[in-house]
Amino acid sequence: MQLENTLFETMNVEVVKTEKNEVILKMPVSPTVHQPLGYLHGGASVALAESAASLGGFLNVDPEKQNVFGIEINANHVKSKRDGYVKAIAKPVHIGRTTMVWEINIVDESDQLISISRCTLGVVDRK
């Protein structure tokens, strides 16, 4: 899996943990991911959440035979953030043959909840 020259690199995302049942990504909250008023952009949180879920999904398929793609994601942003970092903690709710559902909590350095997302992934056979 190549992370260079992807959104991971653009947003300075660091991979902290990669296991089938938990993926943790870390991202600095800097102007790169701010909205115009200087707060963490909700879209950056959603991109981080889907990235964590997708990486987890990838770990649960045979990459020689299958791909995973985001089908749907929702997010509730519960706290704002200007600086420091956030972690996305993704855990599977459902691992099926054709779909997966992941819950992703985004927390700050004090483990305060910033955002919560649920992401549905499609599992697609490679051609």
Side-chain angles (χ1 to χ4, degrees):
M1 176 186 310
Q2 177 183 336
L3 302 180
E4 295 82 25
N5 298 316
T6 68
L7 191 58
F8 277 69
E9 185 174 69
T10 301
M11 296 190 340
N12 296 308
V13 173
E14 173 189 342
V15 178
V16 176
K17 182 178 183 180
T18 54
E19 293 181 2
K20 285 185 170 189
N21 291 314
E22 184 176 52
V23 170
I24 300 176
L25 303 180
K26 184 176 175 181
M27 179 181 76
V29 179
S30 65
T32 306
V33 294
H34 281 170
Q35 42 94 308
L37 297 177
Y39 293 94
L40 175 61
H41 195 292
S45 294
V46 172
L48 181 64
E50 186 166 340
S51 296
S54 295
L55 183 52
F58 177 81
L59 296 172
N60 280 277
V61 298
D62 179 348
E64 298 291 321
K65 297 178 181 176
Q66 297 171 309
N67 285 321
V68 294
F69 297 98
I71 294 175
E72 190 273 340
I73 188 164
N74 66 57
N76 294 100
H77 308 296
V78 297
K79 188 175 181 209
S80 60
K81 183 94 174 120
R82 284 187 178 267
D83 54 21
Y85 69 86
V86 291
K87 289 187 303 188
I89 303 165
K91 296 183 179 184
V93 175
H94 165 74
I95 303 290
R97 281 186 313 102
T98 59
T99 62
M100 297 183 196
V101 178
W102 288 74
E103 183 172 274
I104 308 97
N105 287 333
I106 296 180
V107 299
D108 68 7
E109 37 301 84
S110 302
D111 289 327
Q112 292 272 325
L113 185 65
I114 303 297
S115 180
I116 185 168
S117 293
R118 184 169 290 215
C119 183
T120 303
L121 302 174
V123 180
V124 179
D125 289 336
R126 294 181 72 120
K127 296 180 180 179

